[in-house]
mmCIF file with all atom_site columns, all heavy atoms in Angstrom:
data_model
loop_
_atom_site.group_PDB
_atom_site.id
_atom_site.type_symbol
_atom_site.label_atom_id
_atom_site.label_alt_id
_atom_site.label_comp_id
_atom_site.label_asym_id
_atom_site.label_entity_id
_atom_site.label_seq_id
_atom_site.pdbx_PDB_ins_code
_atom_site.Cartn_x
_atom_site.Cartn_y
_atom_site.Cartn_z
_atom_site.occupancy
_atom_site.B_iso_or_equiv
_atom_site.pdbx_formal_charge
_atom_site.auth_seq_id
_atom_site.auth_comp_id
_atom_site.auth_asym_id
_atom_site.auth_atom_id
_atom_site.pdbx_PDB_model_num
ATOM 1  N N   . PHE A 1 75 ? 7.138   12.641 -5.354  1.00 95.00 ? 75 PHE A N   1
ATOM 2  C CA  . PHE A 1 75 ? 6.462   13.927 -5.330  1.00 95.00 ? 75 PHE A CA  1
ATOM 3  C C   . PHE A 1 75 ? 6.007   14.412 -6.766  1.00 95.00 ? 75 PHE A C   1
ATOM 4  O O   . PHE A 1 75 ? 6.721   14.115 -7.725  1.00 95.00 ? 75 PHE A O   1
ATOM 5  C CB  . PHE A 1 75 ? 7.421   14.962 -4.754  1.00 95.00 ? 75 PHE A CB  1
ATOM 6  C CG  . PHE A 1 75 ? 6.818   16.316 -4.498  1.00 95.00 ? 75 PHE A CG  1
ATOM 7  C CD1 . PHE A 1 75 ? 5.966   16.557 -3.393  1.00 95.00 ? 75 PHE A CD1 1
ATOM 8  C CD2 . PHE A 1 75 ? 7.057   17.347 -5.390  1.00 95.00 ? 75 PHE A CD2 1
ATOM 9  C CE1 . PHE A 1 75 ? 5.387   17.773 -3.291  1.00 95.00 ? 75 PHE A CE1 1
ATOM 10 C CE2 . PHE A 1 75 ? 6.504   18.647 -5.215  1.00 95.00 ? 75 PHE A CE2 1
ATOM 11 C CZ  . PHE A 1 75 ? 5.650   18.880 -4.145  1.00 95.00 ? 75 PHE A CZ  1
ATOM 12 N N   . SER A 1 76 ? 4.899   15.037 -6.805  1.00 96.00 ? 76 SER A N   1
ATOM 13 C CA  . SER A 1 76 ? 4.409   15.591 -8.069  1.00 96.00 ? 76 SER A CA  1
ATOM 14 C C   . SER A 1 76 ? 3.494   16.758 -7.754  1.00 96.00 ? 76 SER A C   1
ATOM 15 O O   . SER A 1 76 ? 2.966   16.886 -6.671  1.00 96.00 ? 76 SER A O   1
ATOM 16 C CB  . SER A 1 76 ? 3.615   14.572 -8.839  1.00 96.00 ? 76 SER A CB  1
ATOM 17 O OG  . SER A 1 76 ? 3.117   15.129 -10.107 1.00 96.00 ? 76 SER A OG  1
ATOM 18 N N   . THR A 1 77 ? 3.443   17.707 -8.718  1.00 96.00 ? 77 THR A N   1
ATOM 19 C CA  . THR A 1 77 ? 2.505   18.805 -8.631  1.00 96.00 ? 77 THR A CA  1
ATOM 20 C C   . THR A 1 77 ? 1.748   18.888 -9.903  1.00 96.00 ? 77 THR A C   1
ATOM 21 O O   . THR A 1 77 ? 2.132   18.590 -10.990 1.00 96.00 ? 77 THR A O   1
ATOM 22 C CB  . THR A 1 77 ? 3.190   20.155 -8.432  1.00 96.00 ? 77 THR A CB  1
ATOM 23 O OG1 . THR A 1 77 ? 3.984   20.504 -9.569  1.00 96.00 ? 77 THR A OG1 1
ATOM 24 C CG2 . THR A 1 77 ? 4.162   20.099 -7.188  1.00 96.00 ? 77 THR A CG2 1
ATOM 25 N N   . LEU A 1 78 ? 0.474   19.294 -9.753  1.00 97.00 ? 78 LEU A N   1
ATOM 26 C CA  . LEU A 1 78 ? -0.421  19.651 -10.845 1.00 97.00 ? 78 LEU A CA  1
ATOM 27 C C   . LEU A 1 78 ? -0.830  21.107 -10.659 1.00 97.00 ? 78 LEU A C   1
ATOM 28 O O   . LEU A 1 78 ? -1.328  21.443 -9.536  1.00 97.00 ? 78 LEU A O   1
ATOM 29 C CB  . LEU A 1 78 ? -1.708  18.767 -10.797 1.00 97.00 ? 78 LEU A CB  1
ATOM 30 C CG  . LEU A 1 78 ? -2.815  19.126 -11.770 1.00 97.00 ? 78 LEU A CG  1
ATOM 31 C CD1 . LEU A 1 78 ? -2.472  18.728 -13.188 1.00 97.00 ? 78 LEU A CD1 1
ATOM 32 C CD2 . LEU A 1 78 ? -4.104  18.482 -11.350 1.00 97.00 ? 78 LEU A CD2 1
ATOM 33 N N   . THR A 1 79 ? -0.702  21.865 -11.695 1.00 98.00 ? 79 THR A N   1
ATOM 34 C CA  . THR A 1 79 ? -1.133  23.266 -11.650 1.00 98.00 ? 79 THR A CA  1
ATOM 35 C C   . THR A 1 79 ? -2.378  23.384 -12.523 1.00 98.00 ? 79 THR A C   1
ATOM 36 O O   . THR A 1 79 ? -2.382  22.887 -13.704 1.00 98.00 ? 79 THR A O   1
ATOM 37 C CB  . THR A 1 79 ? -0.096  24.262 -12.141 1.00 98.00 ? 79 THR A CB  1
ATOM 38 O OG1 . THR A 1 79 ? 1.089   24.128 -11.329 1.00 98.00 ? 79 THR A OG1 1
ATOM 39 C CG2 . THR A 1 79 ? -0.564  25.619 -12.135 1.00 98.00 ? 79 THR A CG2 1
ATOM 40 N N   . VAL A 1 80 ? -3.408  23.963 -12.019 1.00 98.00 ? 80 VAL A N   1
ATOM 41 C CA  . VAL A 1 80 ? -4.596  24.323 -12.839 1.00 98.00 ? 80 VAL A CA  1
ATOM 42 C C   . VAL A 1 80 ? -4.468  25.846 -13.217 1.00 98.00 ? 80 VAL A C   1
ATOM 43 O O   . VAL A 1 80 ? -4.549  26.691 -12.283 1.00 98.00 ? 80 VAL A O   1
ATOM 44 C CB  . VAL A 1 80 ? -5.897  24.008 -12.124 1.00 98.00 ? 80 VAL A CB  1
ATOM 45 C CG1 . VAL A 1 80 ? -7.129  24.260 -13.006 1.00 98.00 ? 80 VAL A CG1 1
ATOM 46 C CG2 . VAL A 1 80 ? -5.904  22.638 -11.477 1.00 98.00 ? 80 VAL A CG2 1
ATOM 47 N N   . SER A 1 81 ? -4.277  26.115 -14.508 1.00 97.00 ? 81 SER A N   1
ATOM 48 C CA  . SER A 1 81 ? -3.874  27.448 -14.890 1.00 97.00 ? 81 SER A CA  1
ATOM 49 C C   . SER A 1 81 ? -5.119  28.220 -15.413 1.00 97.00 ? 81 SER A C   1
ATOM 50 O O   . SER A 1 81 ? -6.033  27.589 -15.966 1.00 97.00 ? 81 SER A O   1
ATOM 51 C CB  . SER A 1 81 ? -2.840  27.395 -16.022 1.00 97.00 ? 81 SER A CB  1
ATOM 52 O OG  . SER A 1 81 ? -1.726  26.665 -15.601 1.00 97.00 ? 81 SER A OG  1
ATOM 53 N N   . ASN A 1 82 ? -5.085  29.508 -15.225 1.00 97.00 ? 82 ASN A N   1
ATOM 54 C CA  . ASN A 1 82 ? -6.072  30.419 -15.788 1.00 97.00 ? 82 ASN A CA  1
ATOM 55 C C   . ASN A 1 82 ? -7.500  29.806 -15.557 1.00 97.00 ? 82 ASN A C   1
ATOM 56 O O   . ASN A 1 82 ? -8.203  29.529 -16.460 1.00 97.00 ? 82 ASN A O   1
ATOM 57 C CB  . ASN A 1 82 ? -5.867  30.612 -17.288 1.00 97.00 ? 82 ASN A CB  1
ATOM 58 C CG  . ASN A 1 82 ? -6.753  31.615 -17.843 1.00 97.00 ? 82 ASN A CG  1
ATOM 59 O OD1 . ASN A 1 82 ? -7.249  32.585 -17.163 1.00 97.00 ? 82 ASN A OD1 1
ATOM 60 N ND2 . ASN A 1 82 ? -7.059  31.560 -19.180 1.00 97.00 ? 82 ASN A ND2 1
ATOM 61 N N   . MET A 1 83 ? -7.808  29.644 -14.277 1.00 97.00 ? 83 MET A N   1
ATOM 62 C CA  . MET A 1 83 ? -8.924  28.890 -13.913 1.00 97.00 ? 83 MET A CA  1
ATOM 63 C C   . MET A 1 83 ? -10.270 29.596 -14.243 1.00 97.00 ? 83 MET A C   1
ATOM 64 O O   . MET A 1 83 ? -10.365 30.817 -14.257 1.00 97.00 ? 83 MET A O   1
ATOM 65 C CB  . MET A 1 83 ? -8.979  28.597 -12.398 1.00 97.00 ? 83 MET A CB  1
ATOM 66 C CG  . MET A 1 83 ? -7.991  27.514 -12.009 1.00 97.00 ? 83 MET A CG  1
ATOM 67 S SD  . MET A 1 83 ? -8.098  27.080 -10.219 1.00 97.00 ? 83 MET A SD  1
ATOM 68 C CE  . MET A 1 83 ? -7.280  28.509 -9.583  1.00 97.00 ? 83 MET A CE  1
ATOM 69 N N   . SER A 1 84 ? -11.222 28.762 -14.605 1.00 96.00 ? 84 SER A N   1
ATOM 70 C CA  . SER A 1 84 ? -12.633 29.254 -14.844 1.00 96.00 ? 84 SER A CA  1
ATOM 71 C C   . SER A 1 84 ? -13.554 28.397 -13.985 1.00 96.00 ? 84 SER A C   1
ATOM 72 O O   . SER A 1 84 ? -13.137 27.333 -13.443 1.00 96.00 ? 84 SER A O   1
ATOM 73 C CB  . SER A 1 84 ? -12.954 29.088 -16.291 1.00 96.00 ? 84 SER A CB  1
ATOM 74 O OG  . SER A 1 84 ? -13.044 27.682 -16.701 1.00 96.00 ? 84 SER A OG  1
ATOM 75 N N   . PRO A 1 85 ? -14.785 28.832 -13.848 1.00 95.00 ? 85 PRO A N   1
ATOM 76 C CA  . PRO A 1 85 ? -15.693 27.987 -13.020 1.00 95.00 ? 85 PRO A CA  1
ATOM 77 C C   . PRO A 1 85 ? -15.853 26.563 -13.445 1.00 95.00 ? 85 PRO A C   1
ATOM 78 O O   . PRO A 1 85 ? -16.155 25.670 -12.663 1.00 95.00 ? 85 PRO A O   1
ATOM 79 C CB  . PRO A 1 85 ? -17.036 28.754 -13.200 1.00 95.00 ? 85 PRO A CB  1
ATOM 80 C CG  . PRO A 1 85 ? -16.651 30.213 -13.442 1.00 95.00 ? 85 PRO A CG  1
ATOM 81 C CD  . PRO A 1 85 ? -15.399 30.123 -14.294 1.00 95.00 ? 85 PRO A CD  1
ATOM 82 N N   . GLU A 1 86 ? -15.614 26.303 -14.770 1.00 94.00 ? 86 GLU A N   1
ATOM 83 C CA  . GLU A 1 86 ? -15.756 24.944 -15.236 1.00 94.00 ? 86 GLU A CA  1
ATOM 84 C C   . GLU A 1 86 ? -14.557 24.043 -14.700 1.00 94.00 ? 86 GLU A C   1
ATOM 85 O O   . GLU A 1 86 ? -14.658 22.787 -14.722 1.00 94.00 ? 86 GLU A O   1
ATOM 86 C CB  . GLU A 1 86 ? -15.661 24.939 -16.807 1.00 94.00 ? 86 GLU A CB  1
ATOM 87 C CG  . GLU A 1 86 ? -16.795 25.471 -17.500 1.00 94.00 ? 86 GLU A CG  1
ATOM 88 C CD  . GLU A 1 86 ? -16.901 26.973 -17.407 1.00 94.00 ? 86 GLU A CD  1
ATOM 89 O OE1 . GLU A 1 86 ? -15.868 27.747 -17.336 1.00 94.00 ? 86 GLU A OE1 1
ATOM 90 O OE2 . GLU A 1 86 ? -18.064 27.507 -17.297 1.00 94.00 ? 86 GLU A OE2 1
#
Side-chain angles (χ1 to χ4, degrees):
Chain A
F75 186 78
S76 177
T77 67
L78 169 75
T79 299
V80 186
S81 303
N82 188 24
M83 286 185 283
S84 67
E86 292 72 33

